[in-house]
Amino acid sequence: MDAGTQQTTNGQVSFWYAGQGLPEPRPALDGDISADVVIVGAGYTGLWTAYYLKKAQPRLRIVVLESRFAGFGASGRNGGWLTNSITGGRGQYVKDHGRALVGRFQTLLNETVDEVIAVAEAERIDAAIVKGGELNVARNPAQLRRLQSWAAGEAHWPEAGTTLLSASESRARVNIAGTLGAIHHPHCARIHPARLARGLAAAVERSGVRIYEDTTVTEITTGRAITDRGNVDAAYIVRATEGFTANLKGSHREWLPMNSSMIVTEPLSDGVWSEIGWEQFDTVSDMAHAYMYAQRTSDNRIALGGRGVPYRYGSRTDTDGATQPETIAQLAGILRGMFPAAAGAHIDHAWSGVLGVPRDWKATVGLDLKSGIGWAGGYVGTGVAASNLAGRTLRDLILHPGSELTAMPWVNRRVRQWEPEPLRWIAVKALYRAYAAADKAESNGRKTTSPIATAADLVSGRR
C-alpha cells in the first residue's frame, strides 16, 4: 500500500492490544459480597498485590474490582520499560532516611526487574522480555552538560550500575542521530505491556482470586468499597487506581492524572535495522526537558512516546486512548530526527494513557492500620517495575508488618494535595510550555542549562 494512503489507527486503548485483541470480558459484580481483601484497580499494582497476597496466604478471600478490564489503564498502554527508577530521585529520601537505606531501596528496585522476569517465566507469560538495559542519550551540548552532571552524581551510587558512554560507544548500541554521549545501566528490560498485564491477570485468577470487571468503584470507606453494582466489605481495601484516582470521591486532588502519548511504526526492514543497530534491545530516552522514551518491539517496530498534551482541565481522564493529531505529528518528528533511516516508515498506531503524579513527584505505598485502607502508586511513569515492589510491600504491610520492605523510604508517606483548578491546570500547562521553549532553544544551539532544569529532572525521575 502507498504510504500516503495508509491510515494511522488512533486510540482503541493501545497498539499493544491491537495485535492480540482485547481480552474476553470477565463478569461484573452482581450485588453485595464480602472478602478478606478487596483491591480497587486491576492494573499492575492491583494484580501484583493480589498475586503476592495469595501466594503468601492461599486461604485469603481476595477480590479485585476494575471499571473496564484488567490492564485497561497505564498497564496496557505504557512504553514497556521494566526499569529500576526511584521516582523523583534519591535526594530527598537521603535527607530524611540516610544514605544506607536509600542505597538498599535502589538495590531492591534493581532486583525487582529480575523478579518480574522470573515470575513471567514461572507463570508462562510471554511478555517479549529482553533485558538490554536503559540508554539515555544527549543530542546537543546543553543536553550533554546535563548528562555529564547526572553521571557525576551517579558515580556516588554504584548500586544504580550506570556507565557514562562516549558518542561512539552509544552509537554502537543504538545509532541515534546527533548523539554526543549517553548513560547506560543494565537494570532494565523491554517488555510487551499488555501481554504482561493479561498474563498476570490470568495467573491471579488461577490462584483463586476473583476479578470483577465493568464494575466502577465510586468511593472507598473504612471496611467497604462502594461500586455501581454493589458493595464489597473487607478488613483491608487497597486503592490501586494510579492515574484514575481523581475519579474516586474525596481523592480528586490527591494525584494529578498526567497524560502521555505514543506512536508505533510499521515493521521496519532489515536494511533499516542494519543502519540503526539496536541489537541488544535497550530502552531509549534522551536528555530533553520534555523527554521521549522508546523501545524496539518484538516485531521490529519502533514504539516512541512523549508527553503530548500532558493534562486535561479538571483532572479528566480519557476513555479509549485517542490522542491529538498535533501530538502524533510531534512524536513522528522526534522519531524522524533521531532515526533518519526510519523517516519514511508509516505510523501504524497512536494512543495515549494516564499516569498518577503526586504533588512531590514521588511514588508512595502504605497502609492505614486504623481504617484498613492501603494504597500504592503515583509512579509518574516508572511503575512497570515499581508496581511489583509495591505489591510485595502491600503484602507485607498486611501480613508481615516490620519486614525490610515495609521500612523503605516510600512507605506511608503523606503528600499534600494538588491545588484546586484552575491553578493546577495553569501550572502544568506553563511548566510544559517552558520545557518546550527550552528544548527548542537548546536544539538551536543554546549552550547554557535551562533555569527550569532542576524541575525537569524532578519530573523525569533523574535525581
Side-chain angles (χ1 to χ4, degrees):
M1 180 183 291
D2 187 293
T5 64
Q6 289 178 275
Q7 298 296 309
T8 297
T9 301
N10 191 352
Q12 299 182 20
V13 186
S14 74
F15 161 77
W16 306 119
Y17 284 110
Q20 59 180 2
L22 299 180
E24 289 294 319
R26 294 177 173 87
L29 182 68
D30 184 18
D32 297 347
I33 61 171
S34 63
D36 297 311
V37 181
V38 58
I39 298 168
V40 182
Y44 292 148
T45 298
L47 294 173
W48 283 124
T49 303
Y51 181 85
Y52 288 111
L53 279 170
K54 197 68 171 175
K55 285 285 185 182
Q57 283 198 14
R59 289 189 176 184
L60 281 177
R61 298 172 301 148
I62 302 173
V63 167
V64 180
L65 303 173
E66 169 57 46
S67 63
R68 293 293 296 276
F69 61 82
F72 169 77
S75 299
R77 309 189 200 187
N78 64 79
W81 284 40
L82 179 65
T83 195
N84 71 342
S85 298
I86 293 180
T87 305
R90 311 180 193 99
Q92 190 63 42
Y93 286 142
V94 171
K95 180 181 177 181
D96 295 340
H97 298 276
R99 171 64 176 77
L101 187 66
V102 179
R104 178 55 181 153
F105 188 30
Q106 181 65 77
T107 301
L108 285 169
L109 280 161
N110 298 346
E111 296 169 352
T112 294
V113 175
D114 295 324
E115 169 70 10
V116 173
I117 294 171
V119 172
E121 182 177 354
E123 298 292 349
R124 299 184 179 181
I125 301 170
D126 177 11
I129 300 174
V130 180
K131 191 180 179 184
E134 176 181 325
L135 185 71
N136 298 270
V137 301
R139 300 182 61 232
N140 61 48
Q143 288 187 18
L144 181 61
R145 274 186 284 277
R146 279 199 298 280
L147 182 110
Q148 290 168 338
S149 176
W150 181 21
E154 289 294 282
H156 300 288
W157 293 92
E159 299 93 336
T162 56
T163 302
L164 181 64
L165 304 181
S166 67
S168 60
E169 289 171 330
S170 179
R171 287 195 296 266
R173 298 190 71 90
V174 187
N175 186 15
I176 297 171
T179 295
L180 300 178
I183 279 180
H184 180 269
H185 76 76
H187 305 294
C188 183
R190 185 277 326 260
I191 70 163
H192 187 296
R195 288 188 197 171
L196 178 60
R198 194 169 186 169
L200 185 56
V204 164
E205 281 191 311
R206 286 196 300 271
S207 73
V209 172
R210 289 178 291 171
I211 301 176
Y212 294 104
E213 296 181 338
D214 193 26
T215 301
T216 300
V217 176
T218 57
E219 185 178 1
I220 296 172
T221 63
T222 300
R224 175 167 291 182
I226 300 169
T227 88
D228 59 344
R229 296 181 179 275
N231 301 325
V232 184
D233 292 338
Y236 295 99
I237 302 176
V238 174
R239 191 194 73 202
T241 46
E242 186 57 356
F244 296 93
T245 300
N247 296 334
L248 289 170
K249 184 177 179 180
S251 301
H252 188 67
R253 291 168 51 197
E254 188 158 343
W255 290 345
L256 183 144
M258 183 77 76
N259 295 289
S260 197
S261 298
M262 293 196 72
I263 58 172
V264 67
T265 68
E266 64 186 335
L268 304 180
S269 68
D270 291 343
V272 171
W273 286 117
S274 69
E275 292 189 46
I276 297 175
W278 217 336
E279 296 175 355
Q280 298 179 72
F281 292 86
D282 316 55
T283 61
V284 168
S285 184
D286 71 359
M287 294 299 295
H289 300 298
Y291 72 107
M292 52 72 64
Y293 51 94
Q295 66 151 279
R296 177 180 176 176
T297 69
S298 59
D299 57 349
N300 290 318
R301 307 167 186 261
I302 296 175
L304 183 147
R307 283 291 178 257
V309 178
Y311 178 67
R312 294 182 172 94
Y313 188 88
S315 292
R316 297 194 306 273
T317 53
D318 74 281
T319 54
D320 70 349
T323 195
Q324 301 82 5
E326 58 268 30
T327 297
I328 299 172
Q330 177 188 3
L331 295 176
I334 294 171
L335 184 143
R336 289 191 294 268
M338 296 183 73
F339 306 103
H346 179 253
I347 304 303
D348 272 359
H349 203 129
W351 69 100
S352 65
V354 63
L355 48 97
V357 181
R359 184 62 178 77
D360 67 350
W361 300 85
K362 286 180 169 59
T364 180
V365 55
L367 176 67
D368 182 334
L369 292 176
K370 184 176 180 180
S371 66
I373 296 174
W375 68 90
Y379 305 117
V380 198
T382 64
V384 180
S387 59
N388 175 278
L389 184 58
R392 287 182 282 140
T393 302
L394 282 164
R395 171 203 61 195
D396 285 5
L397 286 168
I398 293 171
L399 301 179
H400 309 296
S403 75
E404 180 188 34
L405 296 188
T406 66
M408 288 301 110
W410 66 340
V411 174
N412 285 327
R413 292 177 53 255
R414 294 290 187 175
V415 182
R416 71 183 179 92
Q417 293 189 333
W418 282 90
E419 291 75 10
E421 296 292 21
L423 295 179
R424 65 177 179 270
W425 181 83
I426 292 171
V428 175
K429 192 173 181 67
L431 183 66
Y432 276 89
R433 185 179 292 144
Y435 289 169
D439 288 334
K440 183 177 181 180
E442 290 179 357
S443 68
N444 289 335
R446 189 179 70 181
K447 293 181 171 59
T448 57
T449 301
S450 164
I452 61 166
T454 299
D457 287 342
L458 181 60
V459 171
S460 68
R462 289 182 179 134
R463 290 184 179 172

